[in-house]
Amino acid sequence: MENEVILSQANALTESRYSWSKIEKNCMYKIIEKVRHDYIESPTTEAVEGYKNMYVRFPESVLGEITDKTHKKEAHEALVNLRKRDVEVWEEDGSWFNTGFICSCKYNARKKEYTVEVSSMILPFLVDLARKYTSYSLTVAMTLKSTYSQRFYELCCQYRNNFDKEGYSGFHKTQKQLRQMFCLEDKYPKAPDFNTYVIKKAQKEIKEFFDNNQCDLWFDVNIKGRGMNQTYDFKIYTREQNKRQQEIAQDLQGKALYIYKRMLATFKRDKKFCDRTYKHFDFNPELIQPLFDKITKWETKYKGNDFARIMRFALEEDFDIK
């Protein structure tokens, strides 16, 4: 996307506990954008004095960016209400703190300007990002219609580079964890309703954005268990990852073909066995790489009948190919 603004925040803030409306979330995004600009990109004297409460200023026109020009009243109310909203941040060692995202909000009618006081306890999670942090598109985040979509979009951005051995990225959450993060302990008490109105709704909207080239990722989810004990395996798909998957598939296809040709040369009188093995890879691609590694290792250690014997034994015993 041209002129795309990328925001960054600590992962601890991405996974923190809070419940805000969609418009309040948009206020938060604009505040983060301004803090990042004033503190990182064009630091002012006030900004670099340390982690004190920081004052950021917006022209009145920001209300139209938070919603649109016909809903400025709602944006004004959301900016004011944000002072009353809690955010609870958990540290990796089990420590936590609860604070307001902003401490005050003031409007100057003469200057037509808002001044927002950002909590000093939040600032490190917006500017001190040397270790683990989440980067995401401001345009995508503010355009998503549901606050749950916004939260899941941030989570997907956080875990997009968390690849497994098959080249897929994703993350795991329990229903209890998600309910705590979204402050939904008492809402949607039935698991099917929680899945429908929180997870599936967000999944559908983000996928629509992806299909319309408005977003570069989407997620799928595998739900396990029953009731409140359900767990969720989220798999993230990106345009970049699609290319990566194609490269991995081509690499595995080449290795499968190498195995097949090596088997044909070894088991010249048993082509059916070779064909069954090659076909087996279509449904079990995860077997290709370990078998390829074994064969290339055996080739340097065994010859002739010894190689044939150990290969057949491994195929039958280790890979269950009869």
Side-chain angles (χ1 to χ4, degrees):
M1 300 178 188
E2 293 185 6
N3 301 319
E4 184 177 29
V5 176
I6 301 297
L7 299 187
S8 296
Q9 63 193 38
N11 290 350
L13 184 59
T14 302
E15 302 207 23
S16 61
R17 171 180 166 80
Y18 62 87
S19 177
W20 302 341
S21 71
K22 147 75 178 175
I23 302 179
E24 289 166 354
K25 280 283 289 180
N26 282 2
C27 292
M28 183 200 79
Y29 291 136
K30 294 303 293 184
I31 291 171
I32 292 176
E33 180 187 25
K34 192 67 165 64
V35 169
R36 294 286 297 173
H37 176 272
D38 291 355
Y39 215 116
I40 303 297
E41 299 167 19
S42 302
T44 63
T45 302
E46 179 183 27
V48 298
E49 287 179 349
Y51 291 136
K52 302 176 182 178
N53 287 1
M54 180 179 175
Y55 294 89
V56 293
R57 295 171 178 81
F58 300 97
E60 188 180 45
S61 59
V62 75
L63 299 180
E65 298 176 32
I66 290 171
T67 53
D68 55 57
K69 293 181 180 180
T70 60
H71 293 84
K72 289 185 177 181
K73 180 181 178 182
E74 288 86 344
H76 169 88
E77 291 173 351
L79 196 57
V80 172
N81 287 337
L82 196 60
R83 183 190 63 81
K84 308 169 188 175
R85 300 292 184 248
D86 288 349
V87 56
E88 191 168 288
V89 179
W90 307 319
E91 303 280 12
E92 291 182 351
D93 64 359
S95 303
W96 61 270
F97 67 87
N98 183 292
T99 185
F101 191 82
I102 64 174
C103 303
S104 65
C105 181
K106 181 173 70 174
Y107 177 68
N108 187 313
R110 182 175 58 83
K111 295 183 178 180
K112 296 187 182 301
E113 179 183 79
Y114 284 90
T115 300
V116 175
E117 182 184 5
V118 184
S119 168
S120 61
M121 296 188 72
I122 289 294
L123 278 179
F125 296 89
L126 303 182
V127 299
D128 185 13
L129 303 179
R131 293 178 64 245
K132 299 179 180 179
Y133 63 92
T134 303
S135 294
Y136 53 91
S137 164
L138 173 64
T139 302
V140 174
M142 292 190 64
T143 308
L144 289 165
K145 298 176 182 178
S146 163
T147 184
Y148 302 133
S149 299
Q150 292 174 319
R151 293 296 302 267
F152 276 110
Y153 170 65
E154 291 175 26
L155 284 169
C156 287
C157 288
Q158 174 181 334
Y159 289 101
R160 67 185 300 160
N161 294 319
N162 184 34
F163 295 106
D164 61 21
K165 61 182 180 180
E166 296 178 6
Y168 290 99
S169 59
F171 59 100
H172 174 86
K173 295 292 179 187
T174 65
Q175 187 175 134
K176 182 179 179 181
Q177 286 175 317
L178 292 175
R179 285 184 180 276
Q180 287 179 334
M181 287 170 56
F182 300 168
C183 300
L184 293 175
E185 288 90 343
D186 300 322
K187 194 172 183 180
Y188 308 122
K190 295 181 179 179
D193 290 339
F194 178 83
N195 295 337
T196 297
Y197 297 112
V198 179
I199 297 177
K200 296 293 185 180
K201 182 177 180 181
Q203 179 189 28
K204 180 181 178 181
E205 184 178 8
I206 293 174
K207 182 61 164 62
E208 288 175 352
F209 267 52
F210 180 86
D211 291 341
N212 292 327
N213 292 317
Q214 295 175 276
C215 177
D216 71 337
L217 60 75
W218 65 283
F219 71 87
D220 201 359
V221 58
N222 182 29
I223 303 174
K224 302 176 183 177
R226 298 173 62 85
M228 292 286 188
N229 294 320
Q230 285 184 336
T231 61
Y232 306 89
D233 291 324
F234 294 93
K235 186 171 287 188
I236 303 166
Y237 297 90
T238 67
R239 301 194 193 284
E240 178 182 315
Q241 191 168 309
N242 287 345
K243 181 180 179 181
R244 178 186 176 95
Q245 286 300 317
Q246 289 176 357
E247 293 173 349
I248 291 174
Q250 290 174 354
D251 180 63
L252 287 177
Q253 186 177 20
K255 289 175 178 176
L257 186 60
Y258 179 88
I259 294 170
Y260 178 62
K261 290 181 177 180
R262 192 67 176 84
M263 289 182 67
L264 286 175
T266 304
F267 308 115
K268 298 178 180 179
R269 298 181 180 180
D270 200 351
K271 185 175 182 298
K272 290 184 177 180
F273 177 56
C274 301
D275 291 342
R276 284 199 307 274
T277 302
Y278 192 53
K279 187 68 176 177
H280 192 71
F281 292 151
D282 291 341
F283 301 96
N284 302 275
E286 73 280 0
L287 301 180
I288 297 173
Q289 185 64 52
L291 181 56
F292 177 83
D293 292 340
K294 285 180 179 290
I295 288 177
T296 52
K297 181 180 179 181
W298 295 333
E299 286 175 330
T300 61
K301 295 181 64 176
Y302 304 103
K303 303 294 181 182
N305 291 334
D306 290 338
F307 180 79
R309 190 162 48 248
I310 194 169
M311 181 188 282
R312 186 179 287 274
F313 179 82
L315 287 168
E316 293 180 351
E317 297 299 322
D318 297 346
F319 297 93
D320 197 30
I321 303 174
K322 308 298 182 184

